[in-house]
Amino acid sequence: MRSLSEIWARANELGVKMKIDLLYALTNRSGELSWHEVLEATRRHAVMADESGFDRIWLGEHHFDTDGTDASPNPIMLATDLAARTNRIRIGMAAVSLTLWHPLRVAEDLALLDHFSEGRLDVAFGRGILPIEVMNLNPAASRWNGSDNSRAIFEENLEIVRRIWTEDLFSWKGPRYTFPEPGTKFIHSPGAPMPEGWVDEQGYLKAFGMTPQPFQQPMPPLFAVTESVEGFRGAAQKGLKPITWYPTGQVLRNLLDLYREEKAAVTGATPDLGEDVGVLRLCYIAETDEQARRVTEASVVEFFEFVCRVRGIGVWLDADEDPEDPRFKEMDPFDLLMERDHLMIGSAASVTEKMTRLTRSHGIQNWLLQMGFPGVAHDEVDRSLELFAAEVMPEVRKLDSTLAAAQ
């Protein structure tokens, strides 16, 4: 009998469109584990995801974690370790905080990772979301001072990364960077030929390239983590694939329609509804709905309350719902999120039904599921992964989301 991973690899060869990914956070809410024990659990779950047929495992970038939410300060190094332990699963960055990196260094590191993984790399870029991270690594990229510096830094860094990945003769002059640095002499080995086009008549650099360029040509697939109209429009214009978390119901459908329309305007070809868009949800599978709620409810409520403090309750609501309506503040948070399809939590049958319904209503072709979230023990994640792979994944794989959405 073929393994699940062999079955789904064959399904992909036959053109199955549905992608099912795992978003992974390095959690330790209890504080009882050492960081190395958390890393060992991450390695185990990555191998399980690889063997059970997940398409990708996505890693985030977060710094100075003290509350056990996601201790992942360098997803590129972590992904290098996981790539060496897995065989077929793609390794995704969701997201590299591009404003916090030197663009040439991150381009080199990601290119090496693309080679280490033999072309299994996908990259989502972001601007950083937490003040403790942004303000202590690159305060110029602040998102909270009323300026547009963060977006400008992101856009310049993104263009630099794309060009150094694809141009043999790279040069750049922008608001923050000039490459090559004026007045740089090029010193090379006497036995090596002078790279054509790199230096001027005086021996100063006028362009250069990087070694190696990415394994995937011209570059790894690029994504953007976003939930806003501006973010979806910008992703379409920049050739990035959106990954989105909070939008639900009509809000999500509006964003999917917007991306489809904007992509058609940019490329001249209209994509299918949901094409190239990843939809992220919290996920946990147990034998019964009651057991799944019992394991996850405290963690879900804590996360809900944290997001409400930072973003407001409106981020969880549908387009026709008023954040000022007092009934939402009176509702049980778990029920509020469950009713609005933020949670893929329950028995295998319940989660399959919900994923099937949303796939059909929104044309979803790429699910990102976060099974490990703060407060859920790592051995609970083991069991959830096993149940999902055995009972939910085969059913969701059967869905042709494009045809279903058109019905």
Side-chain angles (χ1 to χ4, degrees):
M1 177 178 286
R2 290 184 296 173
S3 68
L4 278 172
S5 60
E6 291 173 327
I7 292 171
W8 299 132
R10 178 57 178 160
N12 286 335
E13 291 175 5
L14 295 174
V16 173
K17 293 182 178 182
M18 180 65 68
K19 300 295 183 185
I20 303 176
D21 304 344
L22 183 68
L23 180 77
Y24 198 86
L26 280 70
T27 64
N28 186 20
R29 180 50 53 84
S30 69
E32 296 174 354
L33 302 177
S34 69
W35 193 91
H36 190 73
E37 289 172 318
V38 174
L39 175 60
E40 285 297 301
T42 302
R43 289 165 166 166
R44 182 176 76 251
H45 292 148
V47 171
M48 289 180 68
D50 182 41
E51 293 177 346
S52 61
F54 282 86
D55 292 286
R56 304 182 187 94
I57 182 169
W58 293 92
L59 306 169
E61 176 182 349
H62 288 294
H63 302 269
F64 319 121
D65 178 80
T66 60
D67 60 7
T69 298
D70 191 3
S72 181
N74 193 322
I76 300 174
M77 290 190 69
L78 176 59
T80 301
D81 179 273
L82 300 183
R85 299 170 188 272
T86 54
N87 297 306
R88 47 155 296 279
I89 195 168
R90 295 186 66 82
I91 311 292
M93 306 287 98
V96 171
S97 298
L98 188 57
T99 60
L100 309 185
W101 290 74
H102 188 287
L104 296 185
R105 291 301 303 269
V106 76
E108 290 180 327
D109 288 356
L110 288 169
L112 279 174
L113 173 55
D114 200 30
H115 282 270
F116 292 152
S117 65
E118 296 186 318
R120 289 188 283 139
L121 176 64
D122 294 298
V123 182
F125 289 123
R127 294 190 286 140
I129 59 174
L130 297 177
I132 191 174
E133 301 174 339
V134 176
M135 301 309 293
N136 287 288
L137 291 173
N138 186 12
S142 172
R143 302 178 67 166
W144 306 278
N145 60 5
S147 75
D148 201 35
N149 285 349
S150 172
R151 191 175 305 278
I153 292 171
F154 177 88
E155 292 180 355
E156 181 175 11
N157 285 5
L158 176 61
E159 186 62 20
I160 289 169
V161 169
R162 282 178 138 167
R163 288 181 55 177
I164 192 70
W165 273 350
T166 56
E167 295 180 359
D168 294 328
L169 294 175
F170 167 77
S171 63
W172 176 266
K173 186 172 179 58
R176 291 161 185 84
Y177 292 104
T178 298
F179 302 120
E181 176 67 22
T184 301
K185 281 282 189 179
F186 178 60
I187 302 173
H188 70 292
S189 171
M194 177 69 73
E196 185 176 350
W198 279 35
V199 298
D200 62 18
E201 294 79 3
Q202 289 76 41
Y204 292 106
L205 270 177
K206 62 179 182 179
F208 59 93
M210 64 173 279
T211 302
Q213 291 180 326
F215 182 91
Q216 298 175 87
Q217 291 295 311
M219 65 184 72
L222 298 183
F223 296 73
V225 179
T226 182
E227 64 203 49
S228 68
V229 168
E230 296 79 7
F232 269 75
R233 181 176 289 114
Q237 293 170 350
K238 296 179 177 67
L240 307 178
K241 302 176 182 181
I243 295 172
T244 195
W245 189 339
Y246 302 111
T248 191
Q250 191 60 44
V251 177
L252 177 59
R253 180 57 189 257
N254 291 344
L255 291 172
L256 295 172
D257 287 338
L258 169 69
Y259 180 77
R260 188 184 191 198
E261 293 164 6
E262 194 71 28
K263 192 76 173 178
V266 171
T267 66
T270 302
D272 294 327
L273 179 67
E275 185 176 336
D276 290 338
V277 180
V279 176
L280 171 61
R281 291 293 186 261
L282 296 178
C283 180
Y284 182 82
I285 312 298
E287 278 74 11
T288 66
D289 291 344
E290 294 75 19
Q291 182 182 351
R293 180 166 185 160
R294 185 167 60 251
V295 170
T296 62
E297 184 167 13
S299 300
V300 168
V301 171
E302 179 185 327
F303 178 61
F304 169 84
E305 292 175 346
F306 172 76
V307 172
C308 286
R309 287 199 303 270
V310 176
R311 308 284 299 278
I313 198 171
V315 74
W316 302 112
L317 304 181
D318 207 340
D320 60 350
E321 295 181 319
D322 181 4
E324 300 303 319
D325 189 330
R327 70 188 178 95
F328 296 128
K329 294 182 175 61
E330 296 167 0
M331 282 188 69
D332 180 280
F334 192 94
D335 291 335
L336 185 150
L337 297 187
M338 184 66 75
E339 289 175 9
R340 283 151 191 81
D341 296 325
H342 291 289
L343 305 179
M344 302 296 114
I345 291 175
S347 67
S350 294
V351 172
T352 299
E353 183 280 327
K354 183 172 284 191
M355 292 181 69
T356 299
R357 173 169 52 80
L358 288 171
T359 295
R360 288 174 172 162
S361 62
H362 288 74
I364 296 172
Q365 299 183 32
N366 185 186
W367 284 101
L368 281 72
L369 304 173
Q370 183 172 353
M371 291 196 190
F373 43 97
V376 178
H378 291 122
D379 59 346
E380 298 282 3
V381 177
D382 290 359
R383 182 59 178 151
S384 180
L385 280 168
E386 291 169 353
L387 285 170
F388 184 90
E391 300 184 31
V392 181
M393 186 182 288
E395 297 304 314
V396 177
R397 291 284 194 190
K398 294 176 182 177
L399 299 171
D400 184 331
S401 59
T402 302
L403 293 178
Q407 293 176 355

